[in-house]
Amino acid sequence: MLIAIVLAAEGLAVVGFIVFSIMLVSMYLDSRGMPEPKRDLAGQTLVGNAKVAFLTGMTALTILTVLEILAIA
């Protein structure tokens, strides 16, 4: 019974990911013809901070992955 529940949950996760991907593609296709809005200072700050946070997270993930691989080997 537990195996069936786990398989159903995995199947639903795949379906959810596919639906989410279709929604993202649809939003992208809808936005191609729209003019790009101008950002005010708050918008520029938000986007800049998001870029820094993304780079910090990816750097930390890379460093921790390398350290974990070295610890296992």
Side-chain angles (χ1 to χ4, degrees):
M1 182 66 180
L2 182 62
I3 294 173
I5 293 172
V6 170
L7 289 176
E10 288 179 357
L12 289 173
V14 169
V15 169
F17 180 74
I18 291 171
V19 169
F20 181 68
S21 297
I22 291 170
M23 288 171 47
L24 285 178
V25 170
S26 174
M27 288 170 52
Y28 167 72
L29 293 175
D30 287 344
S31 69
R32 284 193 304 179
M34 295 180 179
E36 187 171 334
K38 289 194 167 201
R39 293 189 192 106
D40 59 353
L41 182 60
Q44 290 175 352
T45 303
L46 180 66
V47 171
N49 287 339
K51 288 179 183 179
V52 171
F54 179 77
L55 290 174
T56 303
M58 292 306 291
T59 303
L61 180 64
T62 303
I63 291 170
L64 291 172
T65 301
V66 169
L67 290 175
E68 186 69 26
I69 290 173
L70 293 176
I72 292 173

